[in-house]
Amino acid sequence: MVVVFVLVAIAVIALLAGVHRYVWSRLVRDTTAGRGRARRIGTIVMWVLPLLSLGALMSGRAGAPLWLESVLAWPGYLWLAVLLYLVLALLVGEVVRAVWLRLGTSSPAEPAVAAPEPSLHTVPAGAAETPAPVSGTAAPNGPPADAPAPDARTSADEPAGPEQRQVSRRLFVSRVVGGVAAAAALGTVGYGTQGVLRGPRVTRVTVPLAKLPRSAHGFRIAVVSDIHLGPVLGRAHTQRIVDTINRTSPDLVAVVGDLVDGSVADLGPAAEPLAQLKARHGSFFVTGNHEYFSGAGEWVDHVRELGLRPLENQRVEIAGFDLAGVNDVAGESEGEGPDFGKALGDRDRGRASVLLAHQPVVIHDAVEHGVDLQLSGHTHGGQLWPGNYLAELANPTVAGLERYGDTQLYVTRGAGAWGPPVRVGAPSDITVVQLASRQA
């Protein structure tokens, strides 16, 4: 296992090195003339930024204090997001660059300047012919014989040759393409960061359940997942989420995993606003995979102290339906994985059931146990386009509502962000799921 981890780490470092080499060549080497100050500064920056990113990725696992993680996380993680869109923009720019330069070289060459034809000098009859001056001596009333003609051009005044013009054109094209790529990447990441820091928006979806009694028609569950409190998103982020949830006046709040990226000792204060959640039937919590990186047992105890009820492979009866929760599959490494038999095995299948499970991949277990609706998170909706295509490879549903047999699965995009505090093409959300009875 250690060997596999080392090989993967080496492969990732090699990939990052290659990507940074490419970005340096396009943004620094190709846009600067010679080995001047601009190239030296650009080269230094291209060394420092990846080191900050590695520090951001490794500081938490290395046990660094939270303040140091925060110092490294902001520039380190943001650079990873910028790098993604910078590479995509530069790859598009390769096409523009190639076409532009080809058009320049295929233009017709400038016509050569014709050499002046020698003039025939005639001497009038009877006039004495002036002897040719000896080289280095002055002709009468004129310059030395070997002096250039008055209209001759010096080397400094000669136009640039084709090779020099091509170098200048290549430098100009590189600067334009590099500048546009950098502006596009920075603008995209800036917009995506603003969306995360602004806080999640509310999404509403109605889910009809065949077994739901008429008395539970219209029951509202506020589903929030992937808050990811850590070195970047802290107490203010939690407060924005709590305020948004409370404004929806839900009947029940479901926190579906990945609350934190750190220990209770470091992030306990950041989670405290969760105690302000208000719902008629209470607030419930299930673990996500990141809780098992951060001390799941301590966090389960801490959220209980904040007034949330953890569902660790458990089930409770709510008004007209069963609410069940299972541990995340990451808990299997600690002997605390999902246990569907314990959570759902002995229930009355004539009652409607709603399951809280962090990862959508357990949907097939939910179908087998007759669950009517599974509520999940984990995917972030891909978080950074085109990450949604990668998320589709690992998850049955990336975002939204889909049906699997008699079971419906709803996946929220989450309220926070992991790594870069940036979302592109996958805005953060809190979903209010309204249950509808077909008997109404």
Side-chain angles (χ1 to χ4, degrees), residues 152-158:
R153 295 177 180 175
T154 62
S155 60
D157 297 326
E158 291 180 357

Side-chain angles (χ1 to χ4, degrees), residues 362-387:
V362 301
I363 182 61
H364 303 295
D365 295 287
V367 172
E368 182 180 342
H369 287 83
V371 170
D372 296 287
L373 172 63
Q374 176 179 317
L375 301 174
S376 298
H378 182 65
T379 68
H380 297 207
Q383 185 168 328
L384 295 170
W385 182 92

Side-chain angles (χ1 to χ4, degrees), residues 12-388:
V12 170
I13 292 174
L15 176 62
L16 286 175
V19 169
H20 280 89
R21 169 75 182 182
Y22 168 69
V23 172
W24 173 84
S25 67
R26 286 294 180 246
L27 290 189
V28 180
R29 184 194 65 188
D30 294 350
T31 61
T32 56
R35 299 179 179 274
R37 178 182 299 178
R39 181 170 293 189
R40 289 197 300 270
I41 293 174
T43 301
I44 292 172
V45 169
M46 291 304 298
W47 272 98
V48 171
L49 288 173
L51 291 176
L52 289 173
S53 297
L54 287 174
L57 291 168
M58 298 173 62
S59 57
R61 298 293 180 89
L66 185 63
W67 68 266
L68 180 57
E69 286 188 66
S70 298
V71 169
L72 295 172
W74 275 102
Y77 283 136
L78 284 176
W79 169 243
L80 290 177
V82 172
L83 182 65
L84 169 64
Y85 293 107
L86 195 53
V87 170
L88 293 176
L90 286 173
L91 290 176
V92 174
E94 294 293 345
V95 179
V96 177
R97 174 189 176 92
V99 172
W100 199 345
L101 289 175
R102 184 173 181 82
L103 290 176
T105 56
S106 62
S107 60
E110 294 183 4
V113 178
E117 296 182 3
S119 60
L120 297 177
H121 178 64
T122 59
V123 180
E129 186 173 343
T130 305
V134 180
S135 176
T137 63
N141 302 322
D146 56 356
D151 61 342
R153 295 177 180 175
T154 62
S155 60
D157 297 326
E158 291 180 357
E163 184 175 348
Q164 185 177 349
R165 286 196 302 271
Q166 184 62 19
V167 170
S168 299
R169 183 181 185 85
R170 186 178 298 276
L171 182 62
F172 173 74
V173 171
S174 296
R175 287 175 175 175
V176 171
V177 172
V180 171
L186 291 172
T188 300
V189 171
Y191 178 78
T193 303
Q194 187 270 338
V196 172
L197 299 182
R198 177 197 63 212
R201 299 293 176 87
V202 175
T203 300
R204 298 178 184 273
V205 60
T206 298
V207 181
L209 300 181
K211 302 174 187 175
L212 191 72
R214 185 178 304 176
S215 60
H217 179 76
F219 192 96
R220 299 184 310 279
I221 304 175
V223 183
V224 59
S225 181
D226 302 282
I227 297 174
H228 284 290
L229 300 178
V232 174
L233 301 175
R235 187 185 181 102
H237 180 62
T238 312
Q239 190 65 59
R240 284 191 295 268
I241 291 171
V242 169
D243 292 343
T244 301
I245 291 175
N246 287 343
R247 283 194 294 269
T248 68
S249 300
D251 296 307
L252 183 148
V253 176
V255 181
V256 197
D258 277 9
L259 171 64
V260 292
D261 286 307
S263 65
V264 172
D266 285 336
L267 299 175
E272 286 179 357
L274 293 174
Q276 304 169 21
L277 287 170
K278 298 177 182 178
R280 186 157 54 103
H281 292 275
S283 301
F284 295 83
F285 171 81
V286 293
T287 56
N289 55 308
H290 281 245
E291 270 72 57
Y292 291 96
F293 307 149
S294 308
E298 292 183 357
W299 276 110
V300 167
D301 293 339
H302 189 65
V303 297
R304 184 180 287 111
E305 293 172 0
L306 296 175
L308 284 74
R309 179 173 177 178
L311 292 177
E312 299 180 275
N313 299 321
Q314 295 173 304
R315 181 180 75 254
V316 295
E317 292 185 5
I318 307 294
F321 65 95
D322 292 335
L323 178 70
V326 292
N327 296 340
D328 185 69
V329 294
E332 292 175 350
S333 61
E334 302 180 12
E336 299 178 0
D339 188 334
F340 286 85
K342 183 177 178 181
L344 298 163
D346 59 348
R347 75 178 190 87
D348 179 4
R349 291 204 174 195
R351 288 171 56 86
S353 60
V354 176
L355 173 69
L356 309 182
H358 177 65
Q359 297 196 42
V361 293
V362 301
I363 182 61
H364 303 295
D365 295 287
V367 172
E368 182 180 342
H369 287 83
V371 170
D372 296 287
L373 172 63
Q374 176 179 317
L375 301 174
S376 298
H378 182 65
T379 68
H380 297 207
Q383 185 168 328
L384 295 170
W385 182 92
N388 54 304

Side-chain angles (χ1 to χ4, degrees), residues 405-433:
D406 294 330
T407 302
Q408 297 181 79
L409 168 64
Y410 182 81
V411 181
T412 174
R413 290 189 294 264
W418 181 82
V422 184
R423 281 178 172 265
V424 177
S428 57
D429 66 34
I430 293 167
T431 304
V432 176
V433 175

